Amino acid sequence: MKTVEALRERLQVLHQRTAETPLFNPVFQLSHDLSRQLEGGALSLDGVESLVAELECEALQSRAARLRRLVAPTDPAQNLQRVAALLNEEDGFSEFRARWEKPLLHAVFTAHPTFLLNPVQSDAVATAALADDPLAATVCTVPADGPAITLDFEHVEAMDAIERAGAARDRIVAALLGHARARWPGRWLDFRPLPFRFATWVGYDMDGRTDIGWHTSISYRLAEKARRLAGYLASLQAIDAAHPLVATLEAAQAHAAEMASLFVRPLDAPDALAAAANRLTADDPAKLLSLAPLIATLEADAKAADGEKALALATLAAAMRADGLGMGWIHFRVNASQLHNALRRRIDPDATLDLSSKSAISRLRELLADVKPLRVNFAALAIETSTAMRQFLAMAQILHHIDADAPIRMLIAECEQPQTVLAALYFARLFGIDDKVDVSPLFETETALEHGGRFLEALLAEESYRDYATLRGRVSIQTGFSDAGRFIGQLPAALAIERLQGRLAEAMKASGLTDVAALIFNTHGESMGRGAHPAGFADRLTWPLSRWARARFAKAGITLEPEASFQGGDGYLFFRNDDLALATLTRIAEAEAAIAGELVEGARDPFYDRTDLSLDFYRSIRRVQREHLESATYSRAVTAFGLGLLKATGSRVSRRQSDVGSDRTMSLRQIRAIPHNAILQQIGYPVNVIAGAGTAAGDEMEAIAELLGHSGRGSQLVRLLRSANGLASIKTVAAYGELFNSAYWASRPYRGTETALETACLTMAEHLTKDDRAGVFRRLVSRLRVDWMKLHRLLALTAGGSTERDPAADAERRNIGLLQSVRLALLMHMFLRAVQVPPFARSNDVSRDDVLEMVLSLRVEDALAQMRRAYPVVEPEISDFAVDEPTDFPDSQGEDYGAIRARFIDPIERAHALNLRIAVAIANYFGAHG
């Protein structure tokens, strides 16, 4: 079996045997076959690498095909025609302006660690997605290795994506202006198009990070300013190279670039900080803080110009109005505890005030009423030790010295009480920036979602907050699907968030805030497990902000500002080239137009009428998900390999450091939501999407199926379940458990089939008699299988699903099975090599058994470091030392460790590298990492 086709045929044969014995595992059997060939010499690691390369190629082609399904058509002319088709000829000028002068979507480009593909792979997939048949496109010659993923790398990638998104928006804006000019030739320049707005938090998100200094945020904002000014300059030069504003933009761009260079490095020395700060804060004719005068000039020039020049000038003015002096708006982010610590330092140094108490709210009311704005400078920023205070100081300096117009979002993670929001508002007022900062609490934890309605009612009852919301013109909240989906399951999370959004509409209406907008930032990921519905952009947009929730705001007469995220490299893929960017924005515009039309029609959804069924369904799924999360079995299975099944996909650490044996007792809370979901993909079953739905149907199976099949929201839930189920394999989960089955290793050399491995297999079997993972996986598989059988029945009863198998889906599922089998064979190879490493002296409290346990838990880098220390290849020679005294010792040649490295250490390293390439391929079939 040296070709993928041979593997595919063998797996097909093995699958047929499951009809004879239900417990037979074709995935594990194929891995065993491959392992025997690999250990027997019939298959080399070179041969395995060839198999991986071919499977890797097919996975990239599948990723490209999936991307095309979501955004097609991708032809620019066709997409501009699609935009034109959205322009209702019956609209008057007022209706047209109302539709297109506020964003259909605020799109936020975040730095979540989902940089699964390297830049060359991303380019190849994006290019292939433009082809009519992506599966025939050549994406197979690209290298698997890529550059290190640093914060700077992530920032450049984010800026590239936003730049392409901005260019696509400009094309849409030009089409809208062209339509307005044709329809209303005397008034078209009164139209201020703003179909999309872009933002980022890359370099501004301090939640869970200690590697981002205040100088990083300042430097990035200055670099973004310089880059955006360069874009404005290029656009204006293309329109009119002799325009008077060309010189203004040239000078401003040069000034911003110079300022950015001053803040690239930490300014620890007082003299260095003073020099940089004084240069930035000094008056300079080239220092541009507002685009308002330039926009006014361009709009006046457009009125005086003719033809295409007028259109181009108006398009440039629209871009400036949308983005300001940056690539887009920016979001700072802190944790609620960081804000509490900063507040205590200022008003409660002795920690006598309970910040969750009513007395704390009273104290905050007094503070907000009496606060007097303070002046700040960069020296104050440099000496501040509180993370939250540094954020507010950095925002103040950005508004004072970089961009005075663009507002800044302050996102507060793990925000569970209104006092936290009031504390943030206090700091914003303290530094005189409350008129430019939108404080936005994040609702993501189970507690926040459960009590979020009362939280919002209490917050909006505060007069100081209502005054602030009126000043800003919006109430801003953020909802999160990562931790929510991890802790209560993705289906319950979406329904809980939907209910919270409805409660916000009620609270705003009750508080008399119907004259301000509701900005709802739904921070979903790019995978099913983190809130990105895979069926299309209509589902992607209405999964986190449902039609029901939208209707609640419409009924209350509240303007809704929807905001969603494109997270990390997986999210940026939608904007990897100009044609994809335009196609993506066009699909969003089409979907939003269709959703708006449905809201006008006002059709009722039985999902919200039959709460006797839907609410019980939600609660039951949530109960099953909570049982899994609290189960030691589930936790141990998910953490059985630590993070060793995952490639590094971001600059943010995925878990805290721990000791040698910590993987055995690692808590799920030690790893973040993205790696948690990514591990579920890698072991073959997206538990937080699928688990519980079958069990929840219970005795009401037929009634639930009827409701889901005839409800818009219910059908959306089912589409998500079907998508996840189409990629899931309980047999694969079971196969991972068999790696730790002592009986398997003890029996493997039985009957003399692998006598050369007998000692290694018996040593492994003996070591694993004390290991709990085989039993853990068996228990988990049993629980999942019972629930899945019920889900299978539910899906069969639910209307809307095809009764025939999808050949393309079956092919993808088989390919995942092949990848899993090859990986399992590689893991066996690593285990066998590790157990055969010659004994070495205990060093730094680490023994050979510790090293074996590291390999079994896929802490491979740690294990390799220990083995290389025990068996160094390069050692000092006695002749290296120029000493005068003679010596007769050593009197023999030292042992050559090169052979040990070649036989044991190097194969482990190479097999692990192939394991990580397989991880990328599997994630590509899921459409995203995590």
Side-chain angles (χ1 to χ4, degrees):
M1 293 185 295
K2 296 184 178 181
T3 66
V4 170
E5 193 54 41
L7 291 182
R8 197 170 276 125
E9 292 174 2
R10 174 64 174 159
L11 186 61
Q12 191 69 23
V13 170
L14 293 173
H15 267 297
Q16 294 170 5
R17 290 175 59 182
T18 58
E20 302 171 15
T21 169
L23 291 178
F24 181 74
N25 195 319
V27 173
F28 188 75
Q29 183 60 46
L30 181 57
S31 71
H32 174 72
D33 295 346
L34 285 167
S35 177
R36 279 190 162 179
Q37 288 191 339
L38 186 56
E39 304 309 326
L43 180 65
S44 66
L45 283 177
D46 286 339
V48 175
E49 185 167 7
S50 296
L51 294 173
V52 171
E54 187 174 343
L55 291 166
E56 194 174 47
C57 169
E58 293 181 0
L60 286 170
Q61 290 172 327
S62 170
R63 182 72 180 271
R66 179 185 183 279
L67 180 58
R68 182 170 181 81
R69 283 196 299 272
L70 290 172
V71 302
T74 57
D75 177 68
Q78 191 173 356
N79 278 314
L80 291 175
Q81 290 172 1
R82 294 283 193 102
V83 171
L86 297 175
L87 306 178
N88 189 345
E89 293 295 332
E90 296 180 1
D91 279 350
F93 190 53
S94 296
E95 291 81 5
F96 178 74
R97 292 185 64 181
R99 187 186 301 270
W100 294 103
E101 286 190 349
K102 65 180 182 69
L104 300 171
L105 183 73
H106 296 248
V108 185
F109 294 76
T110 75
H112 284 82
T114 67
F115 293 86
L116 179 73
L117 305 180
N118 65 44
V120 180
Q121 289 174 325
S122 295
D123 288 338
V125 168
T127 301
L130 302 179
D132 290 335
D133 183 9
L135 294 177
T138 302
V139 293
C140 307
T141 57
V142 298
D145 295 330
I149 304 174
T150 63
L151 182 65
D152 285 343
F153 171 84
E154 293 168 342
H155 186 252
V156 169
E157 290 285 298
M159 294 305 104
D160 288 348
I162 292 177
E163 188 170 69
R164 286 186 284 265
R169 182 190 57 200
D170 287 349
R171 299 181 75 173
I172 293 173
V173 164
L176 296 173
L177 286 166
H179 173 81
R181 182 174 62 177
R183 281 287 309 276
W184 304 283
R187 291 187 289 168
W188 72 279
L189 284 170
D190 295 331
F191 173 44
R192 303 286 185 265
L194 183 57
F196 296 95
R197 174 164 273 137
F198 307 119
T200 185
W201 74 38
V202 184
Y204 309 97
D205 172 16
M206 302 290 189
D207 179 31
R209 298 194 71 142
T210 58
D211 59 329
I212 300 178
W214 65 264
H215 69 91
T216 309
S217 300
I218 298 295
S219 173
Y220 279 3
R221 193 56 178 160
L222 286 164
E224 291 163 19
K225 179 178 181 178
R227 181 167 178 171
R228 195 66 184 104
L229 285 169
Y232 295 147
L233 174 60
S235 296
L236 185 56
Q237 287 174 326
I239 299 167
D240 181 359
H243 195 285
L245 289 182
V246 166
T248 303
L249 289 170
E250 284 177 335
Q253 193 280 331
H255 180 271
E258 179 195 348
M259 296 303 102
S261 68
L262 298 177
F263 288 85
V264 169
R265 297 174 200 74
L267 299 170
D268 298 326
D271 290 347
L273 180 133
N278 290 339
R279 180 73 182 93
L280 176 59
T281 59
D283 291 334
D284 191 308
K287 183 177 176 180
L288 192 60
L289 295 180
S290 174
L291 287 174
L294 281 71
I295 293 171
T297 299
L298 291 173
E299 289 177 340
D301 291 346
K303 291 181 179 179
D306 296 322
E308 293 305 308
K309 183 176 181 179
L311 193 67
L313 288 168
T315 300
L316 177 56
M320 289 183 171
R321 192 180 299 106
D323 298 332
L325 287 166
M327 298 299 291
W329 289 4
I330 56 173
H331 293 187
F332 279 77
R333 197 164 85 127
V334 294
N335 191 282
S337 61
Q338 294 170 328
L339 262 176
H340 295 167
N341 291 337
L343 185 66
R344 283 194 182 95
R345 282 181 52 201
R346 187 152 186 93
I347 69 167
D348 184 32
D350 298 326
T352 59
L353 182 64
D354 180 4
L355 291 181
S356 63
S357 65
K358 290 184 178 180
S359 58
I361 285 200
S362 298
R363 179 76 176 107
L364 283 163
R365 286 184 192 133
E366 296 171 3
L367 288 168
L368 287 165
D370 299 336
V371 64
K372 298 291 186 288
L374 302 178
R375 294 182 301 170
V376 299
N377 62 20
F378 278 100
L381 179 53
I383 65 173
E384 178 57 50
T385 58
S386 161
T387 298
M389 290 284 277
R390 280 201 307 268
Q391 293 286 68
F392 282 99
L393 290 167
M395 288 189 290
Q397 292 302 82
I398 287 172
L399 289 165
H400 293 159
H401 302 294
I402 300 175
D403 185 349
D405 290 341
I408 298 175
R409 194 80 52 82
M410 169 51 82
L411 304 170
I412 309 172
E414 298 183 12
C415 189
E416 297 180 349
Q417 52 196 28
Q419 291 91 323
T420 308
V421 178
L422 296 178
L425 178 54
Y426 164 69
F427 285 124
R429 286 189 179 174
L430 182 65
F431 300 121
I433 56 174
D434 55 311
D435 61 330
K436 288 293 184 181
V437 172
D438 289 308
V439 176
S440 179
L442 166 60
F443 298 89
E444 184 169 41
T445 65
E446 187 171 5
T447 300
L449 292 175
E450 187 172 340
H451 304 295
R454 290 194 293 275
F455 171 117
L456 290 168
E457 290 167 0
L459 178 63
L460 270 59
E462 294 297 318
E463 183 180 2
S464 59
Y465 182 81
R466 292 197 304 274
D467 291 344
Y468 162 71
T470 301
L471 173 69
R472 287 295 308 131
R474 61 171 59 96
V475 171
S476 299
I477 69 166
Q478 180 187 11
T479 66
F481 288 76
S482 291
D483 276 335
R486 171 166 59 141
F487 292 133
I488 65 173
Q490 193 50 236
L491 269 65
L495 297 175
I497 288 170
E498 173 183 62
R499 181 170 175 269
L500 175 75
Q501 292 161 348
R503 292 288 294 274
L504 174 61
E506 293 172 6
M508 289 180 68
K509 183 177 181 180
S511 302
L513 288 174
T514 56
D515 56 340
V516 303
L519 193 156
I520 301 179
F521 179 16
N522 292 302
T523 322
H524 61 74
E526 299 303 322
S527 68
M528 291 178 277
R530 295 181 51 247
H533 202 294
F537 264 98
D539 278 333
R540 181 181 171 111
L541 294 168
T542 56
W543 178 255
L545 187 60
S546 69
R547 293 168 175 84
W548 176 87
R550 292 167 188 253
R552 305 289 285 184
F553 288 97
K555 184 178 179 181
I558 297 169
T559 299
L560 187 61
E561 294 186 66
E563 186 169 60
S565 53
F566 290 90
Q567 294 192 354
D570 286 337
Y572 304 169
L573 198 57
F574 288 103
F575 302 89
R576 192 68 196 182
N577 57 45
D578 291 338
D579 290 353
L580 277 181
L582 179 60
T584 298
L585 295 188
T586 304
R587 298 295 81 75
I588 293 171
E590 288 177 330
E592 287 291 345
I595 295 164
E598 292 167 4
L599 292 180
V600 171
E601 293 173 6
R604 296 185 66 87
D605 188 329
F607 191 84
Y608 305 100
D609 294 332
R610 291 296 311 275
T611 52
D612 58 318
L613 291 175
S614 58
L615 191 57
D616 283 348
F617 187 60
Y618 154 77
R619 287 172 174 162
S620 296
I621 298 175
R622 181 171 170 168
R623 175 182 55 78
V624 172
Q625 289 283 342
R626 184 187 288 118
E627 288 172 355
H628 275 303
L629 193 72
E630 294 173 353
S631 161
T633 295
Y634 178 73
S635 179
R636 179 65 173 131
V638 171
T639 60
F641 298 101
L643 301 177
L645 294 174
L646 308 179
K647 169 192 171 185
T649 56
S651 65
R652 188 178 72 177
V653 296
S654 296
R655 60 167 283 195
R656 295 190 293 271
Q657 295 298 310
S658 53
D659 59 33
V660 170
S662 65
D663 287 298
R664 187 175 296 277
T665 57
M666 187 198 303
S667 164
L668 283 179
R669 293 185 180 273
Q670 284 182 268
I671 59 175
R672 301 181 189 275
I674 291 175
H676 169 262
N677 292 335
I679 290 169
L680 296 179
Q681 293 174 353
Q682 296 299 319
I683 65 174
Y685 202 81
V687 176
N688 69 327
V689 179
I690 298 177
T695 300
D699 296 334
E700 300 283 353
M701 183 81 69
E702 289 78 8
I704 292 289
E706 174 76 12
L707 174 64
L708 296 178
H710 292 86
S711 153
R713 186 62 159 168
S715 296
Q716 192 177 42
L717 302 180
V718 171
R719 286 194 293 275
L720 185 69
L721 286 169
R722 291 190 194 278
S723 295
N725 185 53
L727 297 168
S729 167
I730 294 178
K731 292 284 188 183
T732 297
V733 182
Y736 279 101
E738 290 304 298
L739 285 175
F740 302 103
N741 186 348
S742 176
Y744 164 73
W745 292 103
S747 304
R748 178 163 172 168
Y750 187 58
R751 296 182 183 271
T753 50
E754 293 179 293
T755 54
L757 292 178
E758 184 171 334
T759 300
C761 285
L762 291 178
T763 303
M764 179 69 70
E766 187 174 5
H767 182 87
L768 290 174
T769 56
K770 305 181 289 292
D771 196 283
D772 63 333
R773 281 170 283 195
V776 161
F777 273 96
R778 284 203 191 103
R779 289 193 296 276
L780 177 61
V781 165
S782 296
R783 295 175 189 175
L784 295 178
R785 177 64 73 185
V786 171
D787 179 64
W788 182 87
M789 290 298 295
K790 296 177 180 178
L791 174 65
H792 185 67
R793 288 174 52 201
L794 175 64
L795 295 179
L797 290 169
T798 304
S802 173
T803 57
E804 301 195 4
R805 299 188 68 90
D806 180 354
D810 286 346
E812 291 195 348
R813 191 186 180 101
R814 281 194 297 271
N815 281 357
I816 295 174
L818 296 180
L819 285 162
Q820 297 284 16
S821 295
V822 173
R823 169 191 267 163
L824 290 163
L826 286 167
L827 298 186
M828 292 178 193
H829 186 64
M830 292 163 61
F831 293 177
L832 287 168
R833 286 294 180 271
V835 81
Q836 293 178 83
V837 171
F840 54 83
R842 191 177 185 93
S843 174
N844 296 327
D845 245 5
V846 177
S847 67
R848 191 181 71 155
D849 280 351
D850 291 330
V851 170
L852 176 58
E853 187 56 41
M854 288 178 186
V855 174
L856 292 175
S857 299
L858 293 190
R859 293 181 58 185
V860 178
E861 293 300 326
D862 292 340
L864 291 174
Q866 295 295 337
M867 287 189 280
R868 288 183 179 126
R869 186 178 296 117
Y871 298 107
V873 174
V874 179
E875 293 183 295
E877 299 284 343
I878 198 164
S879 58
D880 294 339
F881 301 90
V883 297
D884 296 331
E885 184 181 14
T887 181
D888 296 322
F889 184 84
D891 55 355
S892 62
Q893 185 69 31
E895 185 176 358
D896 179 14
Y897 291 145
I900 293 177
R901 286 211 174 187
R903 185 178 175 193
F904 303 112
I905 300 174
D906 293 346
I908 292 174
E909 182 176 35
R910 189 174 181 192
H912 185 53
L914 292 173
N915 160 48
L916 296 183
R917 287 173 63 178
I918 289 171
V920 175
I922 290 172
N924 277 328
Y925 282 111
F926 280 86
H929 173 77

